[in-house]
């Protein structure tokens, strides 16, 4: 297969969707950080564009190289990532009570974001290699260990949101891998029963977030403030929105965290129902095209890989939007391609690079 | 295919989110939009200055004068106690009180808390100039209503208070809102619509910390209109002093125009106390005082008139021709009617009295005879002719109509015949009869003007625009009867034996009639009504002292003081 043929196999609709999301993300971020830029003369946009370029290069690299090469290096990458996660706990930067960042000079980086991808890689490889064997309880041991290790390290930071995301990712991959419905059902039921026990393991701030989720008026100026203001922002957008740069909740600083986790509130406020629902439809289309690539992949490696990564992106969208609307607790998961944050954008673009890479190498394409 | 199931899960979850989005933005959206507006828009009210109330010469009776309040902005003060102590020393107030007011008043960190009102002008300027000494302390100009005559004009001017929910029901359509101050009682209430200006305000946009971002709108407050009234500040003060704080009322009316030159109800209250939060005790005192200072006795006190009513009885008998006009009754000091014996106020008896003498001496025996001859219906209808039993329509709120009894009323009310003794009581202004001081004043005016009773009123001009003199109510009165009555009233003052001789004023000829009305327990009500000068009547005067004693002693003496003031005043010219 020539390289020209290979590139012809790029999923065009998926590419345009991705470009649209990135552009929307920059526009929303521009508005969300405008007041801050005026006040402090530092713009988030510049930094984000740099990360965007870097992320796109990484994506291109991932697309050029056959994904099987990455699967070969999966354990090495996974091991390195675990090491980074340990390193975070030892020498990481602490912000807002959580130790999540590694600093390289002026650049800070969250290894936990990358861990999502390396874990998907290693899990895809393991499951693909063991597709012939029996799929009983015993076969679950190694996959759970592979997922559990990074999860435990991330929980320790603490970063409950990111850590809990490993569960649906692993579940989706195991599901597609072909784990018997009976075992899947039992695991799901066990999760539901045991999750109240998890309450005991939570930090105080995490508990208060969950309590406030149940009733935001519990503490309207403290923990519930963000959710209330976010709901006001989204709701006040009505059908058409208040216009770009015209959202009062955004521009007058009533919305905290609006350039990162709550950027969807800005979109909801300034572009209204049409803009916000349109964005969700765009994500739906992105998921649809990605799942199609998973279905049409020429081998189980690609299929599992794309399933894991698509689930990661999809879950972020669902949880992030649900928490901005106040229908899910505030767990601090960013919105893919749109929320500010270098490591996160890089992870998203890398994931897309791998998805494209699998798509380009489908049989009948290129 | 399990991948298809996975995709379906995501698909339905996204649909659910879009549904939630639609509910929030399209169904509940307007509510959230309002919440967003409440977040960002603040209204800083700019109260309008209330119009002044001026006396007939333009002297202010009530005016909003510029006062200075000192306020502290909580977020700009690190150690409030220390700042307040320094501040207290500068403006000469007690530090404890400032601290207490501050603690009570703290709301939002950016909202200034007023800790001291009506600060001395000099101290306010010092604070304003040396602002750096006390960061976070600001001086705010605030209109403070002041009343030049204080207690002397309380009842007639009224006072200001927060609008009640009941008042608001009728006032809402005129643009009044909760927390508005409105006039209560007197001129302040009656002409509130003119006096109150239009409040203004600045609408500002604020950020999440309440910091001002920009001005959205400005409505400049419009000052209320000035009201000029007919009162003479000097005379009002004289009349109030004359009452010496006793319960009662005095009114002086110009006969040419119906201008009320003085309208005093005593004991008074200082309306300024109602707009000063530091004088709450004084307000609650005024509200609970058993002397009822808020009650405007000039128009609202309905009481028996006693002998001043003999003017009505005299006129009634004269016009009816029963008894003959030149009849003479002998007064032995008592009067027998059936089994009962009534005593004249002068126990030795007045001897033979004609109508003029009887008015001069206020002889009860004469008027019992005279009244019984005239009959109760004639007396009652004459009383109505002089304006008793009906409102004078003066521009003061709370006016009482009083009451005139007659046989018809008694039958309807008690299913009883009218007794002769009741006629005797009516003839000397006792019994069921109730009148207001203003009605007695109108009667005196009617006698003085020969029936051209001017309409008593207080309003002279609104915003320098004169309102003119209200039309005179002309009543055709019998000139011969009036001549006799006037002669009796003149002699009552001028004669050595006249009951009103204490009102006599050198250089001013006066006609008057005293009254001593028995009313329940305690002393009698003391009355005086009259007019002057006799040759060309210019003013009518009424003095009423509740349970004050004898009219000839108490009320006539007070009237004398008032006439002396009138004589020496500019009003004569």
């Amino acid at each position: 297969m020539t390289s020209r043929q290979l590139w012809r196999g790029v999923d065009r609709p998926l590419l345009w969707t991705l470009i649209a999301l990135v552009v929307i993300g920059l526009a929303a971020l521009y508005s969300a950080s405008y007041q801050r830029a005026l006040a402090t003369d530092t713009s988030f946009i510049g930094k984000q564009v740099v990360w965007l370029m870097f992320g796109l290069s990484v994506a291109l690299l991932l697309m050029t190289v056959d994904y099987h090469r990455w699967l070969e290096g999966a354990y090495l990458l996974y091991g390195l990532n675990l090491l980074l996660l340990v390193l975070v706990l030892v020498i990481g930067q602490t912000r807002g009570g959580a130790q999540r960042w590694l600093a390289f000079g002026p650049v800070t980086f969250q290894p936990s974001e990358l861990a999502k991808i390396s874990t998907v890689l290693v899990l895809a490889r393991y499951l693909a290699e063991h597709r012939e064997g029996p799929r009983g309880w015993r076969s679950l041991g190694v996959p759970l260990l592979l997922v559990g290790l990074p999860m435990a390290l991330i929980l320790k930071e603490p970063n409950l949101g990111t850590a809990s995301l490993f569960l649906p990712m692993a579940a989706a991959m195991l599901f597609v891998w072909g784990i018997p419905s009976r075992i899947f059902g039992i695991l799901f039921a066990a999760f539901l029963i045991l999750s109240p026990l998890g309450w005991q393991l939570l930090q105080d701030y995490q508990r208060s977030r969950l309590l406030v989720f149940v009733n935001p008026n519990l503490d309207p100026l403290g923990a519930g403030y963000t959710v209330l203001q976010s709901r006001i922002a989204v709701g006040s957008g009505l059908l058409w929105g208040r216009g770009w740069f015209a959202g009062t909740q955004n521009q007058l600083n009533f919305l905290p965290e609006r350039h990162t986790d709550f950027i969807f509130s800005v979109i909801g406020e300034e572009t209204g129902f049409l803009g916000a629902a349109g964005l969700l439809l765009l994500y739906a289309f992105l998921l649809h095209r990605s799942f199609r690539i998973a279905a049409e992949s020429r081998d189980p490696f690609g299929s599992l890989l794309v399933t894991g990564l698509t689930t990661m992106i999809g879950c972020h969208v669902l949880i992030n939007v649900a928490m901005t609307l106040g229908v899910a607790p505030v767990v601090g998961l960013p919105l893919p391609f749109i929320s500010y944050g270098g490591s996160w954008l890089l992870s998203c673009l890398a994931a897309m690079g791998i998805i494209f890479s699998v798509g380009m190498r489908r049989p009948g394409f290129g | 295919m399990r991948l298809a199931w996975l995709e379906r899960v995501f698909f339905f979850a996204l649909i659910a989110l879009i549904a939630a989005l639609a509910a929030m933005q399209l169904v509940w959206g307007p509510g959230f939009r309002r919440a967003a507006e409440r977040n960002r828009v603040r209204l800083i009210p700019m109260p309008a200055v209330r119009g002044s109330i001026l006396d007939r010469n333009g002297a202010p009776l009530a005016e909003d004068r510029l006062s200075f309040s000192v306020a502290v902005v909580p977020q700009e003060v690190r150690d409030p106690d220390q700042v307040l102590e320094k501040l207290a020393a500068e403006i000469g107030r007690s530090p404890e009180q400032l601290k207490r007011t501050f603690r009570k008043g703290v709301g939002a960190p950016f909202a200034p808390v007023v800790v001291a009102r009506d600060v001395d002008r000099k101290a306010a300027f010092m604070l304003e100039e040396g602002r750096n000494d006390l960061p976070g302390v600001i001086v705010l100009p605030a209109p403070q209503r002041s009343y030049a005559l204080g207690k002397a004009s309380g009842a007639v001017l009224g006072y200001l208070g927060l609008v009640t929910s009941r008042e608001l029901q009728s006032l809402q359509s005129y643009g009044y809102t909760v927390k508005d101050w409105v006039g209560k009682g007197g001129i302040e209430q009656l002409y509130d619509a003119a006096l109150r200006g239009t409040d203004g305000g600045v609408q500002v946009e604020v950020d999440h910390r309440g910091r001002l971002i920009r001005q959205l709108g400005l409505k400049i407050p419009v000052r209320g209109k000035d009201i000029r009234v007919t009162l003479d500040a000097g005379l009002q003060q004289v009349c109030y002093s004359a009452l010496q704080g006793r319960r009662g009322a005095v009114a002086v009316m110009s006969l040419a125009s119906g201008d009320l030159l003085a309208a005093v109800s005593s004991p008074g209250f200082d309306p300024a106390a109602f707009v000063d939060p530091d004088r709450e005790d004084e307000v609650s005192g005024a509200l609970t005082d058993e002397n009822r200072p808020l009650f405007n006795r000039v128009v609202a006190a309905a009481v028996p008139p006693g002998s001043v009513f003999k003017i009505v009885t005299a006129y009634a008998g004269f016009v009816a021709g029963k008894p003959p006009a030149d009849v003479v009754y002998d007064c032995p000091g008592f009067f027998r009617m059936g089994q009962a014996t009534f005593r004249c106020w002068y126990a030795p008896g007045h001897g033979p009295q004609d109508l003029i003498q009887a008015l001069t001496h206020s002889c009860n025996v004469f008027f019992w005879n005279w009244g019984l001859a005239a009959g109760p219906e004639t007396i009652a209808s004459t009383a109505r002719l002089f304006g008793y039993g009906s409102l004078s329509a003066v521009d003061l709120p709370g006016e009482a109509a009083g009451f005139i009894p007659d046989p018809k009323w008694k039958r309807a009310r008690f299913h009883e015949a009218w007794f002769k003794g009741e006629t005797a009581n009516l003839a000397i202004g006792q019994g069921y009869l109730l009148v207001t001081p203003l009605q007695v004043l109108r009667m005196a005016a009617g006698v003085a003007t020969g029936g051209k009773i001017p309409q008593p009123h207080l309003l002279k001009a609104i915003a320098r625009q004169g309102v003119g003199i209200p039309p005179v109510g002309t009543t055709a009165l019998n000139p011969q009867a009036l001549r006799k009555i006037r002669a009796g009233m003149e002699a009552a003052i001028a004669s050595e034996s006249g009951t009103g001789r204490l009102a006599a004023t050198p250089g001013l000829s006066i006609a008057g009639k005293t009254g001593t009305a028995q009313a329940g327990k305690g002393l009698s009500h003391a009355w005086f009504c009259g007019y002057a000068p006799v040759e060309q009547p210019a003013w009518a005067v009424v003095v009423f002292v509740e349970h004050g004693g004898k009219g000839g002693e108490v009320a006539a003496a007070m009237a004398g003081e008032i006439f002396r003031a009138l004589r020496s005043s500019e009003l004569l010219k």
Side-chain angles (χ1 to χ4, degrees), chain B residues 135-149:
Chain B
V137 173
I138 54 174
V139 177
L140 300 170
Q144 173 88 22
R145 201 152 185 82
S146 66
Y147 295 84
L149 296 183

Side-chain angles (χ1 to χ4, degrees), chain A residues 131-210:
Chain A
R131 68 182 181 279
E132 305 298 345
R135 291 183 171 87
W137 287 102
R138 281 191 192 182
S139 64
L140 288 177
V142 179
L144 288 183
L145 190 71
L146 288 175
V147 176
L149 270 176
M151 235 182 111
L153 287 170
I154 292 170
L155 264 178
K156 192 91 181 83
E157 287 180 356
N159 189 344
L160 178 68
T162 303
S164 58
L165 207 75
F166 282 78
L167 291 177
M169 267 161 40
M173 290 173 77
L174 287 169
F175 183 64
V176 171
W177 179 54
I179 189 170
S181 303
R182 186 177 52 86
I183 294 180
F184 193 77
I186 291 171
L187 283 177
F188 192 67
F191 169 75
L192 287 183
I193 291 163
L194 291 178
S195 51
L197 290 180
W199 180 257
Q200 303 297 326
L201 302 172
L202 293 181
Q203 307 278 341
D204 278 346
Y205 83 96
Q206 292 165 333
R207 281 186 201 172
S208 78
R209 273 179 180 180
L210 288 173

Side-chain angles (χ1 to χ4, degrees), chain A residues 179 234 236 249 273 288, chain B residues 2 7 25 33 37 39 208:
Chain A
I179 189 170
V234 174
S236 67
Q249 290 285 102
F273 177 71
H288 168 69
Chain B
R2 287 194 157 181
E7 190 181 338
Q25 297 189 295
R33 175 67 67 91
E37 291 301 297
N39 263 348
H208 67 302

Side-chain angles (χ1 to χ4, degrees), chain B residues 117-131:
Chain B
R117 271 164 222 280
D118 205 4
V119 172
D120 175 54
R121 197 171 272 253
K122 231 178 181 175
F125 288 148
M126 294 275 280
L127 276 175
E128 187 72 12
E129 282 161 19
R131 208 180 247 197

Side-chain angles (χ1 to χ4, degrees), chain A residues 172 175-176 178-179 181 225 229 231-232 234-236 238-239 242 248-249 252-254 268 272-273 276-277 280-281 284 287-288 291 294-295 307 311 314-315 318 321-322 325, chain B residues 1-3 5-7 9-11 13-15 17-26 28-30 32-37 39-40 42 205-209 211 213-214:
Chain A
F175 183 64
V176 171
I179 189 170
S181 303
Y225 177 81
Q229 297 301 334
R231 283 170 63 86
I232 290 174
V234 174
S236 67
L238 306 185
L239 183 63
R242 307 199 75 161
T248 58
Q249 290 285 102
L252 296 173
N253 216 359
F254 286 103
F273 177 71
L280 291 183
L281 288 178
L287 296 181
H288 168 69
F291 278 124
T307 301
T311 304
C315 285
L318 292 179
V321 172
L325 300 188
Chain B
M1 183 71 189
R2 287 194 157 181
L3 259 175
W5 277 106
L6 190 58
E7 190 181 338
V9 169
F10 277 106
F11 181 71
L14 280 170
I15 292 294
L17 281 183
I18 290 178
L21 207 54
M24 271 178 74
Q25 297 189 295
L26 305 181
W28 303 314
F32 284 118
R33 175 67 67 91
R34 277 195 296 279
E37 291 301 297
N39 263 348
R40 76 175 181 108
R42 298 267 190 289
E205 186 171 78
V206 297
D207 71 0
H208 67 302
R209 287 172 68 183
R211 285 176 304 210
I213 300 296
R214 71 179 142 229

Side-chain angles (χ1 to χ4, degrees), chain B residues 448-529:
Chain B
T449 58
K452 295 198 185 69
I453 305 177
Q455 169 64 47
H457 64 273
L458 280 159
L459 183 63
K460 209 167 168 62
I462 298 179
R464 290 162 182 266
Q465 203 77 40
V467 295
I469 297 166
V472 172
T474 306
T475 311
L477 294 182
N478 185 316
Q480 281 101 28
L482 288 183
R483 210 170 296 136
K484 291 252 184 192
I485 292 170
R486 284 179 192 146
M489 287 172 71
E490 284 164 33
I493 309 296
S495 156
E496 272 301 305
S497 56
T499 53
R501 61 190 177 277
L502 285 179
T505 303
L508 188 65
S509 51
I510 297 165
K513 180 78 197 77
T514 59
T516 305
Q518 287 162 16
K521 283 175 186 161
L523 292 172
S524 312
H525 296 331
W527 281 96
F528 176 91
C529 73

Side-chain angles (χ1 to χ4, degrees), chain A residues 109-124:
Chain A
F109 176 76
Q110 285 199 58
S112 56
E113 302 294 0
L114 205 60
K116 292 169 192 167
I117 293 178
S118 61
T119 307
V120 168
L121 268 174
V122 83
L123 199 59

